[in-house]
Amino acid sequence: MGSQRAKLSVEDGNVIGLVDRNVFGSFVEHLGRCVYQGIYEPGHPAADAYGFRKDVMDLVRELGIPMIRYPGGNFVSSYRWEDGVGPLERRPVRLSSAWRSLETNQVGVNEFSSWCRRVGAEPMMALNLGTRGVEAALDLLEYCNHPSGTYLSDLRCRHGYPEPHNIKVWCLGNEMDGDWQVGHKTSTEYGRLAAETARAMKMVDPDLKLVCCGSSHTGVPTFPQWEAETLSHTYDVVDYVSLHQYFDDNVADLGDFLAQSMETDRFIRTVVAVCDYVKAIKRGKKDIMLSFDEWNLWYHTKAQDDDTMKNDPWQGVPKLLEDVYTFQDSLLVGCMLITFLKHADRLKMACMAQLVNVIAPIMTQEGGPCCRQTTFYPFLHVSRYGRGEALRSFTMSPKYDSKRFTDVPYLESVMVKDPDTGDLTLFAVNRSLEDTLVVDLALHGFQSYQLETHLVLEQEDLQAANTPEQPNRVVPAVRKDSVQDLGGGQFQISLNPASWNVIRFSPVYCRI
Ligand code: AHR
């Protein structure tokens, strides 16, 4: 084990953008055990009067999640929202074609929206533009948001929800470019349908925020032409375009694995460029913002899931996508989060996919406890300390080449300033597996600052994971003696190999 040097300098006022709170969003899909046995398990000792698990709600609140996308995902593209409202005993059981399982509809828009508010989040509602269209979208909008006095708003009142859900953010379908999607469309077909749905919805409420489907990943042959064509139809009536990205371990080595967030960066830059290209063609004034509304790692259980869906389909609550995340997975999640903050000017919403059990930071046992996965922690740190102004930095880091990436910096980092308190938080990953990174940090134009704390997530065993048997195997710790204050806003920080770091500074106020 050796050591390498890096330099980092930031200047007060050199701001990339204000980090939007909705960048810390999440996603609940009717898939596997995300809803049933995840957030909702009537009969569980921790269930509340509505059947929702209070222990899970506590962890969701701990993550500080402001917005949760629902009800899919692929599920939504054949969903009839009407099945999920009204008396529970009259709700039909349906086939969920996307996940080859059964949907009992015991949770629907009313239960989800009120649960969402109870955990301090707002719902982000996805519409079915696979098998349905403008009329069903308008009906759902009227049912959810109109106060009363119409057929559908009065129906909601009769269903026990007199207050409107007041859902402001709506996704115009899900991954409509993918041939796996029920009701998959060409970019022209989707662009027209999304535009007409958006136009009709904004006639009802011009303040709605609407998200147009971008490409489901960068590997599809239609990327980024899909964005250019669909936005050419929807530019005037939508506010965001979506990005989805999942990483796997189909890589040469760990260096290559951790470098994958460079692909996130490239993806964001390309989509911003396409949005601006369409704006120029339209002679438009507004910028289309980015909603990274599905992101994560997804690979541990893929083979098993394919087998379940093929050979044991149509189960009520199948175990699907129950990835148990390792320590090395949490490092890549950290790199993705840092990348999001570096694009705080245009990336205004993001949803980690998903929230519970299904590629999730929270895992539950049926009838038993729930636990925090390794990936819970970088998300928690960034959600808790990453709100404020993301600062542009000048970085000099040693680099490496991996099989798929060149010039990968060992140091991945971003600094965020809390404008209310003046506190500074540096989020940093050392991608080197062998070497300590000694970082010379210079704070320019700030008054004098002192170190508050250095939190670290690190493990000898990169495959270490948190399980029901060992729920606290990978947890953050406070590092001592890792930051030297050299005076005059200069600090020397030591980052251990393969580590996630949160280094917090606060202003020193002189008493007059
Ligand atoms: O999050 C799992 C699935 O990934 C979602 O249903 C779909 O939108 C994406 O392909």
Side-chain angles (χ1 to χ4, degrees):
M1 193 169 101
S3 102
Q4 300 203 55
R5 306 285 293 222
K7 275 189 182 169
L8 187 64
S9 72
V10 290
E11 192 175 356
D12 199 8
N14 194 353
V15 176
I16 301 168
L18 209 54
V19 178
D20 195 302
R21 63 199 291 270
N22 285 338
V23 165
F24 308 112
S26 188
F27 176 31
V28 165
E29 176 166 6
H30 284 256
L31 192 186
R33 297 192 313 121
C34 186
V35 174
Y36 308 111
Q37 293 178 23
I39 60 171
Y40 178 78
E41 192 179 336
H44 188 279
D48 67 8
Y50 309 98
F52 287 90
R53 286 182 60 156
K54 287 186 279 188
D55 54 346
V56 173
M57 290 168 81
D58 287 343
L59 291 187
V60 177
R61 288 193 196 100
E62 185 179 331
L63 287 173
I65 292 171
M67 185 186 72
I68 305 178
R69 186 166 177 255
Y70 175 85
N74 297 340
F75 170 80
V76 80
S77 296
S78 59
Y79 180 54
R80 297 172 175 93
W81 66 265
E82 300 89 337
D83 291 345
V85 298
L88 291 179
E89 62 285 2
R90 286 208 225 131
R91 296 190 190 176
V93 176
R94 296 270 194 187
L95 296 182
S96 161
S97 29
W99 301 107
R100 291 173 59 81
S101 43
L102 296 184
E103 175 52 51
T104 59
N105 285 301
Q106 295 300 289
V107 171
V109 292
N110 291 320
E111 291 83 11
F112 176 77
S113 301
S114 55
W115 171 83
C116 218
R117 303 289 184 194
R118 292 205 297 284
V119 294
E122 66 169 305
M124 176 197 214
M125 190 60 66
L127 294 163
N128 173 359
L129 292 193
T131 59
R132 308 187 84 178
V134 185
E135 185 176 82
L138 285 178
D139 283 354
L140 182 56
L141 178 62
E142 179 183 327
Y143 182 87
C144 289
N145 283 8
H146 197 70
S148 63
T150 65
Y151 173 70
L152 288 168
S153 58
D154 287 346
L155 186 63
R156 185 198 67 240
C157 298
R158 283 205 300 283
H159 287 159
Y161 295 84
E163 293 305 319
H165 296 309
N166 199 18
I167 299 169
K168 285 293 170 202
V169 186
W170 297 76
C171 300
L172 301 163
N174 175 71
E175 295 188 351
M176 298 309 303
D177 62 324
D179 58 10
W180 57 89
Q181 202 69 216
V182 178
H184 154 237
K185 295 179 174 40
T186 66
S187 52
T188 310
E189 289 165 348
Y190 172 72
R192 290 284 306 122
L193 178 59
E196 291 313 320
T197 309
R199 215 181 308 281
M201 292 179 78
K202 286 203 170 173
M203 283 179 191
V204 175
D205 181 355
D207 293 334
L208 296 178
K209 298 290 174 211
L210 303 180
V211 187
C212 182
C213 286
S215 296
S216 45
H217 59 92
T218 52
V220 287
T222 45
F223 173 73
Q225 184 53 38
W226 171 274
E227 279 78 356
E229 170 68 11
T230 56
L231 284 172
S232 75
H233 297 280
T234 60
Y235 174 83
D236 289 330
V237 281
V238 303
D239 306 278
Y240 302 85
V241 61
S242 74
L243 295 83
H244 290 183
Q245 188 169 55
Y246 294 100
F247 290 127
D248 58 33
D249 70 342
N250 188 13
V251 292
D253 53 32
L254 196 62
D256 209 33
F257 177 80
L258 293 179
Q260 292 182 98
S261 60
M262 292 181 70
E263 188 56 40
T264 309
D265 184 67
R266 196 152 54 199
F267 191 9
I268 294 170
R269 286 176 195 281
T270 306
V271 175
V272 168
V274 176
C275 290
D276 292 351
Y277 163 74
V278 176
K279 176 184 174 185
I281 287 180
K282 296 278 178 187
R283 311 290 190 261
K285 287 203 164 51
K286 73 171 187 197
D287 286 329
I288 300 287
M289 297 298 175
L290 273 51
S291 169
F292 218 120
D293 48 43
E294 285 189 35
W295 68 272
N296 208 337
L297 279 63
W298 174 10
Y299 65 97
H300 292 277
T301 64
K302 267 208 165 134
Q304 190 185 316
D305 296 336
D306 289 347
D307 183 66
T308 305
M309 285 191 286
K310 183 160 180 251
N311 299 317
D312 198 7
W314 317 123
Q315 299 180 48
V317 192
K319 269 188 161 227
L320 289 174
L321 283 68
E322 298 210 7
D323 286 38
V324 174
Y325 289 116
T326 61
F327 167 67
Q328 76 179 40
D329 293 335
S330 72
L331 292 179
L332 181 53
V333 161
C335 289
M336 291 182 86
L337 285 162
I338 289 172
T339 307
F340 293 164
L341 298 186
K342 283 172 152 175
H343 289 282
D345 54 340
R346 296 297 290 273
L347 185 72
K348 295 293 179 185
M349 302 198 292
C351 303
M352 184 188 231
Q354 299 189 2
L355 184 59
V356 187
N357 290 331
V358 170
I359 44 174
I362 300 169
M363 295 295 270
T364 67
Q365 278 186 311
E366 185 185 2
C370 54
C371 79
R372 300 168 182 84
Q373 293 238 50
T374 58
T375 52
F376 185 96
Y377 293 106
F379 188 96
L380 171 75
H381 292 152
V382 179
S383 169
R384 189 169 284 174
Y385 304 120
R387 301 185 189 213
E389 297 169 344
L391 300 180
R392 212 163 268 117
S393 64
F394 171 75
T395 313
M396 270 173 62
S397 167
K399 294 181 174 161
Y400 66 97
D401 291 342
S402 71
K403 189 163 180 211
R404 288 177 304 161
F405 301 92
T406 47
D407 286 336
V408 186
Y410 283 116
L411 175 65
E412 187 62 77
S413 70
V414 69
M415 180 82 88
V416 177
K417 178 181 173 185
D418 180 334
D420 298 329
T421 60
D423 290 351
L424 290 173
T425 304
L426 177 67
F427 300 99
V429 171
N430 177 1
R431 285 194 179 102
S432 171
L433 308 179
E434 282 94 34
D435 293 338
T436 299
L437 261 186
V438 177
V439 181
D440 292 310
L441 169 68
L443 304 178
H444 294 292
F446 294 93
Q447 53 190 307
S448 78
Y449 272 72
Q450 67 192 5
L451 176 73
E452 275 298 310
T453 186
H454 179 175
L455 295 173
V456 68
L457 201 61
E458 55 188 350
Q459 280 286 318
E460 289 259 306
D461 178 4
L462 296 169
Q463 300 306 320
N466 293 336
T467 58
E469 297 73 39
Q470 277 190 293
N472 296 320
R473 179 148 181 229
V474 183
V475 290
V478 175
R479 260 197 86 184
K480 298 275 179 218
D481 306 324
S482 49
V483 181
Q484 267 181 278
D485 187 342
L486 307 175
Q490 310 280 326
F491 294 85
Q492 196 170 76
I493 307 170
S494 145
L495 306 177
N496 283 339
S499 60
W500 160 256
N501 303 271
V502 182
I503 302 146
R504 311 203 62 229
F505 302 91
S506 62
V508 184
Y509 292 105
C510 308
R511 283 171 198 273
I512 307 172

